[in-house]
């Protein structure tokens, strides 16, 4: 339930205040900040200065809007899932179709914004990390469009699991660098990208892929995804004549969720729910639900909720969806959770796979496995609500990339093995 006392909370009492976050030191209350070695301090403050300027420059905003429309395919539709609503027998279900964007997910909003900023800063080389590959693909695509050099860091284990995505990045001209350290997944890829950035900062911009990391990334990435909530609000009012009762999004680092929620933060009658990956179980190492078993700590520049052991070492995580499989959550989510404004739930691998199949067969829309976590919770909620109520889900990405993995997990045999490029 929404805690009504937050109406009186000083930071949410006036409409402008959500725009005042992060504060000048990059904090969202006790979270966020800039916990980096000295060598990264200068590039981060240079980036912050450039972003502050770009943000208030109408030419920059206009150019970004044009790119979002012409290259990425905005605005995306708000879709009433009629058959699904009928089948679940409760609240009306709406889907914000970020899956229809170019390269298949919301990630292109941020990749375009940051690439345009890099161009403005005179940087001709782009680096990025990627886990599942969605952010790598969005970045590689944008770099091809802008004629920029592009190097993507990816854990060697993730490269093996996402061979097709590696090939897609290479087709767009990106160099994909496999990282062999540690668990050979996203965390190590971020470390390696940061090392590259420190060494090549004069020529290079680092496009971080979620509302995470050191200041200014969490606030900047959120800003580039805010367009999702601006459109959703306008479209929902047009279609329903009022705001949704509940809004639900999956949460990895938290970029699609904060972009989807941001313009509704002051609409206290709209319940906002983020859904984390419950994995196989809530036992240590079996999930990526930071609010279930995580605690306050610092990871990769940012103070937030983290899955870690008693010594502060990062715990391994698991999710059927690579995009939710990260030990830390974006600081802004931790802040709004403390205020009771954004609530959090979790959905496990099995529930997500069920939701993946359900949306595919009832509506003919294949959702990403990440998105399927949000859907799983939304289906549960909708069934408990009444037909005069509404639930709006952010359909953060499409599931084409997950079809092979879904087939494997469902035990479907006979599909060709995906060849490594
Ligand atoms: C990357 C990804 C996510 C998770 O990242 P957030 O920053 O939490 O949005 C969710 N859905 C899809 C489709 C993704 O590609």
């Amino acid at each position: 339930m929404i805690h009504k006392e937050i109406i009186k909370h000083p930071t949410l009492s006036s409409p402008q205040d959500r725009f005042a976050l992060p504060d000048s030191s990059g904090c969202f209350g006790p979270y966020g900040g800039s916990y980096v070695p000295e060598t990264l301090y200068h590039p981060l403050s240079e980036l912050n200065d450039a972003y502050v300027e770009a943000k208030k420059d109408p030419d920059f905003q206009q150019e970004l809007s044009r790119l979002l429309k012409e290259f990425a395919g905005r605005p995306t539709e708000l879709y009433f899932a009629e058959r699904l609503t009928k089948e679940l027998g409760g609240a009306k279900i709406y889907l914000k179709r970020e899956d229809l964007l170019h390269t298949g997910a919301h990630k292109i909003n941020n990749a375009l914004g940051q690439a345009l900023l890099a161009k403005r800063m005179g940087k001709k080389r782009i680096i990025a990390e990627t886990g599942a590959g969605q952010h790598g693909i969005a970045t590689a695509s944008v770099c091809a469009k802008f004629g920029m050099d592009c190097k993507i860091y990816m854990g060697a284990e993730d490269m093996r699991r996402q061979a097709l995505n590696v090939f897609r990045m290479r087709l767009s001209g990106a160099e994909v660098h496999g990282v062999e350290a540690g668990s050979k997944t996203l965390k190590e890829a971020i470390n390696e990208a940061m090392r590259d950035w420190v060494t090549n900062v004069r020529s290079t911009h680092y496009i971080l892929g979620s509302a995470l990391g050191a200041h200014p990334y969490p606030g900047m990435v959120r800003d580039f995804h805010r367009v999702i909530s601006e459109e959703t609000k306008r479209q929902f009012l047009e279609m329903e004549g009022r705001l949704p009762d509940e809004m639900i999004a999956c949460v990895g680092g938290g970029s699609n969720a904060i972009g989807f929620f941001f313009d509704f933060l002051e609409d206290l009658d709209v319940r906002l729910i983020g859904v984390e990956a419950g994995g196989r179980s809530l036992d240590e190492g079996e999930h990526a639900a930071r609010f279930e078993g995580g605690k306050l700590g610092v990871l990769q520049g940012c103070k937030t909720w983290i899955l870690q052991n008693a010594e502060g070492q990062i715990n391994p995580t698991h999710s059927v969806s690579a995009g939710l499989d990260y030990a830390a959550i974006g600081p802004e989510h931790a802040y709004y959770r403390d205020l009771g404004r954004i609530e959090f739930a979790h959905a496990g691998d099995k529930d997500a796979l069920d939701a993946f199949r359900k949306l595919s067969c009832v509506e003919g829309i294949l959702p990403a496995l990440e998105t399927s976590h949000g859907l799983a919770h939304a289906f549960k909620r909708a069934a408990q609500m009444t037909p005069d109520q509404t639930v709006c889900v952010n359909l953060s990405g499409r599931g084409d990339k997950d079809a092979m993995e879904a087939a494997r997990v469902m035990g479907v045999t006979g599909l060709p093995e995906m060849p490594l490029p």
Side-chain angles (χ1 to χ4, degrees), residues 105-107 134 209-211 250-257 323-324 368 370-371 396-397:
H106 67 289
K107 295 232 166 51
Q134 278 300 124
S210 189
C250 66
V251 184
S255 69
N256 89 86
L324 302 187
E370 290 82 3
T371 315
S396 56

Side-chain angles (χ1 to χ4, degrees), residues 74-90:
R74 301 212 74 91
T76 59
E77 295 299 317
L78 181 67
Y79 172 76
F80 171 47
E82 193 175 352
R83 285 198 70 219
L84 187 66
T85 297
K86 211 170 266 171
E87 178 157 329
L88 293 171

